[in-house]
Amino acid sequence: MKLNNEEQAMLAGDFGPAVKWAMEHQLQVGRMFDAKDMVDVSQAHMMADPESLGEAGVAFTEKLAETDISVRIPTITDPRGVDLECYEPIGQTESMAELERRFIAACKRMGITMTNTCINYQTIMPPVFGDHVAFGDTGVVIYSNSVCGARSNFEGGPSALAAGLTGRTPRYGLHLNDNRSSTKRYQVAEEPKDLMDWGVLGATIGRMAGSYWEVPVIEGIEKIPNSDQLKHFGAAMASYGSVPLFHIVGITPECQKIEDVDGQALEATKVTKETIRDLRAPFSAVGSQVDVVVFAAPQLSIIEMSELSKLCSGRQRSSTTDVIVCTSAQVYADAVSMGYVTEIEAFGGRVLVGTCFYQQYAREIGEANGWTSLLSNSAKIVNILGGYGYQPSLASMEACIESAEKGIIVQ
Amino acid sequence: MKKELKCHIGIGPKVEGIALVADDNFSARYDLDRINGVFSRPQHKLYGSSYKDVILVLNTAKGGVATAWMLYEMTSRKIAPKGILFNSVNTILAQGAALAGMAMVDRFEDGDVTKIVKTGDHLIVCPDEGKVIFVE
């Protein structure tokens, strides 16, 4: 890779051992993907929950922080794994919390801003069209690329941290315009209605596309979706297919017409009702008892919190069904002032701040609380949690609340 | 049977081990019980299999970014694969391999690596040279 003078100095250790590690890490990754050089990035977003980090990852981060290095660009964080104001009640241990505290301290020492959110594009500083960034969390990346027109690869925690320390990232993948053209074309038979529908459609297309290197272009969406709908759509597509970018003809900014993304000659695959039904089939357990209803993945926006509070109003969850809601600290403050949190808590729900359910030791908290049967309106979370010992099901937000009220999964 | 497979230049050290193969995808978060070192997702074709010290051979990556930290964490406890061969790797897996010092290669010239390599094959993976050698 071609490095400028400053980058060569970073590699030589002139900026200290942390930056040297970061540049060496970036060169290894860049070489694997044939990057020719580096590109400056305006922000980094780091995924790093203590379950993923473990003792080793926390110790690694502490060692970097001990060199008194600071990040060079705004560097923010994905959800935490432990809500330090509420961990014992959901079955998390002191050792989990302590790991989290150590990591937070190390991040702060490096100047990282603990935003603890996977909806930074709704609440912090959305990237702008053409903006090169180094974002982690697949949902953040796919939204930023597709809806904002930013340029980012999936940057795992170590690579986002490296980008924060060097202020750049190897120029490969979606930083190159040639890799942003469509490679698969899908025609949607029926427009999604609610958030769950959008998630299921995203999941279906993600599963069909099936690779990081595929770029779906989607036709058949006439009504312009809102940010929450595209949030669930993208998060599910990225989860099922590892897909980091999509285009919707006439809606997303790089694709006002299909020719803009070179999709006109691609053979179109129809996304039928049957295809969507097939995806949903493993997540339907109508009539079964439900142990926990989860609203998360991605964290809820203030609009989702509003809708959820209205559904909760005047009702009470079953004594056999817990309800967990995950949102960001930024949204939580507004949700408190609007009385949404009060309504959700009166229903019997627990609102966790700055976390996301699947990132907070999902296996351990499931065992601690006896949660096996799980219901959510997030297509992403039901995809993830099967490996954690849950039997996940999908339903709309309305059906989730009704199920929580009855203790039984309703249609 | 071919003696050697050419692939793209990869990441990590030269390693030798026994292959565990499936025409399936991979995420450390979605698919693994990392404490016990087994595939834990019931739908995965390697469900119940131990991945400790093997050379995994899989199709591609799926899902989230957590795998980047998780490969490092798994390696630190020595309950990790020696290396992973993919038909096509995503950025997260490569980044995780770089941090963990785990051998990882992809893009094989001879086609689908999950069909060419069989479970039980004895392999040497050479990421720097972009090749995988079958040991007789």
Side-chain angles (χ1 to χ4, degrees), chain B:
Chain B
M1 179 177 162
K2 286 186 73 79
K3 304 280 191 206
E4 183 177 305
L5 300 175
K6 284 284 184 192
C7 56
H8 194 277
I9 297 291
I11 280 176
K14 183 176 181 177
V15 294
E16 181 172 348
I18 304 300
L20 177 64
V21 186
D23 175 18
D24 207 335
N25 301 333
F26 180 78
S27 161
R29 183 178 314 265
Y30 292 25
D31 295 326
L32 305 183
D33 174 349
R34 288 172 290 116
I35 302 300
N36 295 305
V38 296
F39 281 82
S40 60
R41 183 182 182 83
Q43 294 80 16
H44 201 283
K45 290 176 182 170
L46 295 178
Y47 176 63
S49 301
S50 169
Y51 56 78
K52 184 175 185 294
D53 294 336
V54 303
I55 295 176
L56 286 173
V57 183
L58 295 160
N59 183 34
T60 188
K62 64 183 169 192
V65 297
T67 301
W69 285 117
M70 286 177 173
L71 292 185
Y72 182 71
E73 191 275 335
M74 291 155 58
T75 303
S76 76
R77 289 184 293 108
K78 303 188 188 326
I79 303 180
K82 285 184 175 175
I84 313 182
L85 318 185
F86 286 108
N87 278 319
S88 171
V89 77
N90 78 350
T91 61
I92 297 299
L93 270 295
Q95 295 158 5
L99 183 67
M102 179 182 289
M104 187 174 290
V105 293
D106 76 335
R107 286 164 280 177
F108 287 83
E109 291 180 1
D110 290 299
D112 186 345
V113 69
T114 68
K115 293 188 168 53
I116 298 168
V117 180
K118 307 297 180 196
T119 291
D121 283 347
H122 189 168
L123 306 175
I124 298 172
V125 183
C126 311
D128 277 348
E129 300 169 66
K131 69 180 183 185
V132 174
I133 302 165
F134 289 89
V135 179
E136 295 291 341

Side-chain angles (χ1 to χ4, degrees), chain A residues 58-178:
Chain A
V58 172
F60 173 84
T61 311
E62 287 176 327
K63 195 173 166 190
L64 292 182
E66 283 165 8
T67 66
D68 285 333
I69 190 70
S70 290
V71 290
R72 294 165 64 103
I73 54 172
T75 302
I76 61 176
T77 55
D78 208 33
R80 307 261 39 81
V82 178
D83 178 347
L84 292 172
E85 301 298 319
C86 179
Y87 58 94
E88 287 176 333
I90 64 162
Q92 292 181 317
T93 64
E94 189 58 37
S95 65
M96 294 172 184
E98 185 53 25
L99 209 54
E100 186 74 280
R101 290 189 195 99
R102 284 171 52 197
F103 182 73
I104 292 168
C107 286
K108 286 184 175 176
R109 189 167 173 182
M110 288 190 282
I112 293 168
T113 306
M114 305 305 292
T115 54
N116 306 337
T117 183
C118 58
I119 54 170
N120 55 309
Y121 49 83
Q122 291 182 317
T123 57
I124 307 292
M125 187 160 70
V128 299
F129 190 91
D131 197 2
H132 290 273
V133 293
F135 280 178
D137 189 296
T138 55
V140 170
V141 174
I142 194 170
Y143 189 101
S144 299
N145 275 323
S146 310
V147 181
C148 304
R151 271 76 174 130
S152 182
N153 289 309
F154 287 171
E155 299 273 10
S159 291
L161 178 56
L165 292 170
T166 65
R168 60 207 77 202
T169 195
R171 193 194 305 269
Y172 66 91
L174 294 176
H175 293 288
L176 300 169
N177 286 340
D178 286 351

Side-chain angles (χ1 to χ4, degrees), chain A residues 155-338:
Chain A
E155 299 273 10
S159 291
L161 178 56
L165 292 170
T166 65
R168 60 207 77 202
T169 195
R171 193 194 305 269
Y172 66 91
L174 294 176
H175 293 288
L176 300 169
N177 286 340
D178 286 351
N179 294 330
R180 300 179 69 89
S181 295
S182 59
T183 63
K184 295 276 180 77
R185 181 178 179 182
Y186 299 99
Q187 290 177 341
V188 175
E190 186 174 56
E191 294 204 40
K193 297 180 181 67
D194 60 21
L195 295 178
M196 185 206 68
D197 290 338
W198 276 98
V200 171
L201 179 61
T204 304
I205 292 171
R207 189 166 70 171
M208 290 194 289
S211 165
Y212 186 83
W213 307 103
E214 300 290 356
V215 180
V217 59
I218 297 141
E219 299 170 291
I221 304 293
E222 302 297 332
K223 186 179 175 188
I224 295 176
N226 67 33
S227 175
D228 282 336
Q229 290 167 336
L230 288 172
K231 173 172 83 171
H232 278 268
F233 181 66
M237 191 185 300
S239 176
Y240 279 76
S242 191
V243 173
L245 167 66
F246 64 83
H247 303 292
I248 303 177
V249 177
I251 292 176
T252 54
E254 290 172 76
C255 185
Q256 288 312 296
K257 54 187 187 304
I258 197 162
E259 290 80 5
D260 294 342
V261 293
D262 303 323
Q264 66 276 15
L266 295 171
E267 186 178 346
T269 300
K270 293 199 184 307
V271 183
T272 64
K273 291 178 185 176
E274 290 73 27
T275 323
I276 288 181
R277 199 164 51 227
D278 286 349
L279 187 128
R280 275 205 67 183
F283 304 115
S284 300
V286 174
S288 303
Q289 180 178 320
V290 56
D291 300 323
V292 62
V293 174
V294 175
F295 298 98
Q299 290 174 332
L300 273 63
S301 71
I302 191 66
I303 306 301
E304 289 172 288
M305 292 293 283
S306 167
E307 291 168 356
L308 189 60
S309 71
K310 286 177 196 159
L311 290 168
C312 289
S313 182
R315 301 163 84 175
Q316 183 68 44
R317 70 169 171 85
S318 162
S319 61
T320 59
T321 304
D322 292 309
V323 176
I324 301 288
V325 181
C326 295
T327 191
S328 69
Q330 301 80 29
V331 167
Y332 183 78
D334 285 345
V336 168
S337 72
M338 291 303 297

